[in-house]
Amino acid sequence: YQRRVRGAKNRRGAMMCLKRKKAYEAQIARLSGARMTLEEQVMAIESANVNLEAMNAMRTGAQAMKSIHKNMSVDQVDDTMADIQEQMDVANEISDAISQPVGSDMYGEFDDLEAELEALEQEDLDDKLGSLEANLAPMASPTAASTTTTSISSPAVPKSDPEDEEAQLRQLEAEMAI
């Protein structure tokens, strides 16, 4: 009998332990849920603070830009850029003026040099024509030589036969190749 009573007591004790265990587990689940809710609220508050700080920074930036642009307009910038370009042009003109030799008439000197160059080119051309006439004279008869001389110095067309012209052309080509 005592065993039965003792066994029944233990059974009741075991049941009480199981009830307490279930109550503790339910309490743990409620506390975990509440903790999770609190953590979510903390994250939402932190996110709202970050958004507020970002908004304040953007507002401050916009106000700073307004105050900066209050004293500046697109027309003023265009005018300033035009002034800078004008000053750059003046600086270039001054630089060009400084770089020219002092006391020389550049255009007069250029005209003199041009005339001298033309004279040298004409002299070189005359020398080439003289050597050409000298080479053509032995090939042609004295009457042909005088005709050739007149044709070179005047624009008149020489009167000679086509075979003679071809020989002169071959001679001229040979001289030009040298």
Side-chain angles (χ1 to χ4, degrees):
Y1 175 77
Q2 283 183 346
R3 274 187 172 176
R4 278 183 154 177
V5 173
R6 227 191 266 163
K9 267 187 168 180
N10 281 343
R11 190 172 170 110
R12 277 189 202 157
M15 291 285 277
M16 290 297 277
C17 280
L18 282 175
K19 282 184 181 180
R20 268 187 274 153
K21 179 182 173 192
K22 294 236 182 222
Y24 287 145
E25 286 176 352
Q27 183 69 21
I28 289 174
R30 281 191 299 269
L31 290 175
S32 293
R35 183 177 180 180
M36 186 63 116
T37 302
L38 289 174
E39 286 178 4
E40 287 175 359
Q41 282 182 328
V42 167
M43 286 191 293
I45 290 170
E46 287 175 354
S47 177
N49 280 333
V50 168
N51 290 341
L52 178 63
E53 289 295 321
M55 185 64 186
N56 288 337
M58 287 183 206
R59 186 177 297 126
T60 303
Q63 289 171 350
M65 288 179 72
K66 279 182 185 178
S67 68
I68 290 170
H69 291 139
K70 183 183 276 185
N71 298 326
M72 182 178 15
S73 70
V74 174
D75 292 334
Q76 289 172 331
V77 171
D78 288 340
D79 292 343
T80 301
M81 294 307 292
D83 290 343
I84 290 171
Q85 184 61 44
E86 285 177 26
Q87 293 307 312
M88 293 293 289
D89 292 342
V90 168
N92 287 337
E93 287 177 17
I94 290 170
S95 178
D96 289 344
I98 289 173
S99 67
Q100 291 183 7
V102 176
S104 69
D105 180 15
M106 188 172 148
Y107 297 110
E109 192 174 303
F110 181 75
D111 292 340
D112 292 343
L113 291 175
E114 186 74 27
E116 187 176 342
L117 179 63
E118 286 180 24
L120 289 172
E121 288 175 345
Q122 185 63 40
E123 186 178 313
D124 187 43
L125 185 60
D126 290 342
D127 287 345
K128 286 182 181 179
L129 286 176
S131 66
L132 181 62
E133 289 173 358
N135 288 337
L136 290 177
M139 284 180 48
S141 63
T143 55
S146 65
T147 307
T148 306
T149 304
T150 14
S151 69
I152 291 174
S153 60
S154 68
V157 178
K159 296 179 181 176
S160 59
D161 87 64
E163 291 176 12
D164 190 32
E165 286 179 5
E166 288 181 24
Q168 289 176 357
L169 181 61
R170 280 193 295 274
Q171 176 70 24
L172 182 61
E173 287 175 348
E175 287 179 9
M176 298 281 286
I178 293 176

